[in-house]
Structure formats: structure tokens, C-alpha cells
Amino acid sequence: MTVLGIETSCDETAAAISRDGVILASVVSSQGIHSRYGGVVPEVASREHERFLTRVVQASLNRSGITLEDLDGIAATRGPGLMGALLTGVSFAQGLARGTGVICLGIDHIEAHIFANFIAYPDLEFPFLCLLVSGGHTQIWRVDGLGRYDLLGETRDDAAGEAFDKGARILGLGFPGGPVIERAARGGNEDAVDFPQAFLTSNAIEFSFSGLKTSLLNYVKKLESPPKGDSLSDVAASYQKAIVSVLVSKLKQAVERTGIQVAVIAGGVAANEQLRILARNVLTDCAVLYPPAPLCTDNGAMVAFLGERYLEESPGEMPLDLTVVPNLRLSG
Ligand code: KG4
Ligand code: ZN
């Protein structure tokens, strides 16, 4: 089967083609324009999606060497995400599906992030645990099958990606925060500043990152001038450590509680090298998997792949609802 996937939930305009579980082409156009505002501006995001969607979809078809007539389905992210941004992608997909006479599927962005791991690891088997870490979500899922998910815990306030983004803004490093903090942290002493790690010692699988951000703000305010050079590296490394340590420690708790020996990491923050290294170092009795970075951050491949999976494996369960839901909650 051949499925076109369209992703426009936030600031990436993306399209990809999945055929028989293999990604033939994946095209991502990142909206760099938001960096000048220090964060994603919803209206600007919708306008940029409108500008680039046709080109991105066309490029994914061209690079795959296929035409619209070869498609069996078109899948588009219907939530969670920004209302206007989601609407742009879903309306585009619906129009294209109507014109070509193929089925149109509404995909849950979080579910697609989880399933990106199957693109990288086709032999991945259920059940497994998933640490889902993105700009809007920080959750640990037990995944028992397609459509069978159990939420083991999540953040009470900010998401891990949000903590990176807000931290970068406080340090004057730009947007998105994850990659710039990761870069600034290289060579820094991660024990230089003792930032708080909420719930680290509690038995509950939950997260909180808003105190961490405030702690960084207070730390920077006390300095005579913003940190630069080695001291910036030290602060960035300590801040990064405070985020990734608590993520890994809660994932370890989930492994111990469930006895499941395979843990995958998904979402934009899963691109973080320190998170990847620490997870493998700490979870020694467990296989720790993560997709290559372009499959962690938002992309159309995960949407196309999951759409095809529904079409093939579970046609009765196909997500045919195309209503856009900005705060869509994945459930099993
Ligand atoms: O999954 P994603 O691309 O979009 C959402 O669904 O939110 O995740 C975006 C988030 C941003 O907060 C960004 O700062 C973070 O992922 N991120 C990273 C890295 N690359 C992206 N965080 C830490 N380290 C990275 N290398
Ligand atoms: Zn995402």
C-alpha cells in the first residue's frame, strides 16, 4: 500500500510517502521565521504552512517517483497542535483525497511519534514502554498494540521540550531551545549548578519542569551579566542534566514497575544526545531504542507510516475522524 502523510501541527510543514512500511521520501520544511519572535506564533505558522504545503507534498511525490494515482490513502495530523496549523494540513489532505478518490485518515500526532520507532526498528514488538518527550508533552506510555495504549504518567505542568525552549530564551540562545542548549552545553560541567529535579526520589511516575525554569531565571538574575563562554556551557550542561536525569529515572521506574524490557524514546527531545546516552547507561537490563533525529522531531514519515499501518493492519479501526482537535488526548 502507498500512503501520503501530511504533518502541520506546529512549525514544521512536512510530507512523506510510506509504501509497504518503508519511507520512500520524507520532506520537512522548518519555519525558521519563528526564531525572530523567540517562539512559535500561531498565525504565522498557519500562513507558512499554506505557503509551503503544495511544494512539500509535490517534492515528496517527486522524490518517491510516484504520482497521486498511486496512492491508497492520505493521512494528516488532526491533533494535538495549533488549531489553524492543523486545519491547514487536514483541509489540504481532504481536498486532495476528494480529488483523487482515496481514503483520508486523521492521525494523532502523539501516536505517530510513538510509531516512528517502527520505521527505525521494523522488528520492534509489543509490548514496549515509550518515553514521549516533545514541545507540548512529557509522558510515559505502555504500548500493547496498535490502538492499545496505557498512560503510566506525565508532566503536571511544562513539557521537557518547553523547559529547553524557555531555558534557551532565558539564556538568550534562540529558538528552538533543545538543539541550542545541547550545543552550548558541550564541554560544560554538568555538576556546576545544582538545579532542582522534581519528583526524582518519589515513587510516582510524574514530572514537573516549571520550577526548574524559575530556578534558572533566578540564577541568571543574580549574575552581574548573562553567562558567556565556559560559564554558559556549565549552566547549559547543568540545566540539560536536570531535565534528562529525571526523564531517565522515571523511565527506569516504569521498567521496574511493569517488567517490560524494551523502552523506546520518541518526540523532539528524543534527539538529545545526553538523554540517549544516559538512558542506555542507566537502563542496563532493558533495550533502549530511539529513532534517528529527523524521525524524533516533527516529520511526515511518522504520519504516513501510521496511516498505512491502520489501513493495512486494522481497517476496522481506521481513524476516519478528520475533526481538528488542538488538545487531542491519546487513549487506548
Ligand atoms: O516533537 P517536536 O518536534 O514538536 C512537538 O510535537 O512539540 O518537539 C519539539 C521540541 C522542542 O521543544 C525542541 O526544543 C525539542 O523538541 N528538541 C530538543 C532537541 N531537538 C528538538 N530538545 C533537546 N535536545 C534536542 N537536540
Ligand atoms: Zn511532535
Side-chain angles (χ1 to χ4, degrees):
M1 281 199 177
T2 310
V3 174
L4 163 67
I6 293 175
E7 158 61 39
T8 62
S9 66
C10 193
D11 58 340
E12 252 83 38
T13 313
I17 308 291
S18 175
R19 173 174 279 173
D20 302 332
V22 175
I23 302 302
L24 300 184
S26 178
V27 181
V28 180
S29 167
S30 295
Q31 302 178 356
I33 188 168
H34 300 285
S35 58
R36 75 173 77 145
Y37 307 110
V40 178
V41 181
E43 297 306 318
V44 176
S46 312
R47 199 187 61 211
E48 292 294 286
H49 287 312
E50 266 177 28
R51 274 182 66 204
F52 289 101
L53 205 41
T54 309
R55 264 179 272 178
V56 166
V57 167
Q58 191 62 60
S60 73
L61 291 166
N62 292 349
R63 287 186 207 172
S64 310
I66 68 161
T67 64
L68 287 173
E69 287 70 47
D70 298 320
L71 295 178
D72 297 294
I74 299 175
T77 303
R78 75 173 186 104
L82 302 169
M83 175 63 108
L86 290 164
L87 271 172
T88 318
V90 168
S91 314
F92 186 95
Q94 276 177 305
L96 209 53
R98 213 163 290 147
T100 48
V102 300
I103 200 156
C104 194
L105 307 173
I107 297 294
D108 183 308
H109 182 79
I110 299 303
E111 190 179 6
H113 269 306
I114 296 172
F115 273 73
N117 274 281
F118 283 101
I119 304 174
Y121 304 100
D123 297 331
L124 177 62
E125 285 180 9
F126 302 110
F128 58 83
L129 296 174
C130 180
L131 170 66
L132 188 286
V133 272
S134 69
H137 293 74
T138 299
Q139 302 172 320
I140 296 182
W141 290 93
R142 179 192 164 114
V143 183
D144 283 295
L146 183 65
R148 294 175 57 209
Y149 317 112
D150 191 14
L151 182 61
L152 302 182
E154 65 181 328
T155 182
R156 282 190 183 191
D157 42 53
D158 292 354
E162 204 176 345
F164 273 108
D165 295 338
K166 288 177 174 171
R169 200 176 311 158
I170 292 167
L171 292 170
L173 292 175
F175 178 85
V180 285
I181 289 200
E182 179 164 34
R183 217 170 304 130
R186 281 195 194 119
N189 172 9
E190 60 177 25
D191 297 317
V193 187
D194 191 16
F195 286 120
Q197 297 177 27
F199 302 126
L200 189 65
T201 53
S202 93
N203 287 329
I205 298 181
E206 58 183 333
F207 306 90
S208 166
F209 294 106
S210 67
L212 170 65
K213 162 203 68 192
T214 310
S215 170
L216 175 65
L217 190 61
N218 291 338
Y219 177 85
V220 171
K221 272 185 187 161
K222 281 191 198 129
L223 301 174
E224 279 175 11
S225 58
K228 286 199 185 73
D230 287 349
S231 61
L232 174 62
S233 296
D234 289 350
V235 177
S238 305
Y239 189 78
Q240 175 173 253
K241 179 193 166 188
I243 298 172
V244 302
S245 302
V246 80
L247 293 175
V248 171
S249 117
K250 294 296 163 186
L251 185 56
K252 186 171 194 285
Q253 242 170 275
V255 169
E256 286 163 359
R257 191 178 295 179
T258 59
I260 293 175
Q261 296 294 308
V262 179
V264 308
I265 313 180
V269 180
N272 187 275
E273 255 334 291
Q274 287 307 307
L275 173 61
R276 291 163 174 244
I277 292 168
L278 193 68
R280 287 214 167 142
N281 286 346
V282 170
L283 280 82
T284 44
D285 297 335
C286 173
V288 177
L289 310 176
Y290 36 76
L295 287 173
C296 294
T297 46
D298 288 350
N299 63 86
M302 64 186 193
V303 178
F305 182 86
L306 182 59
E308 191 193 358
R309 193 99 179 210
Y310 267 111
L311 219 53
E312 267 192 336
E313 267 190 36
S314 207
E317 305 291 318
M318 264 193 305
L320 296 174
D321 190 350
L322 292 161
T323 323
V324 160
V325 182
N327 58 355
L328 188 64
R329 289 276 293 175
L330 182 62
S331 63

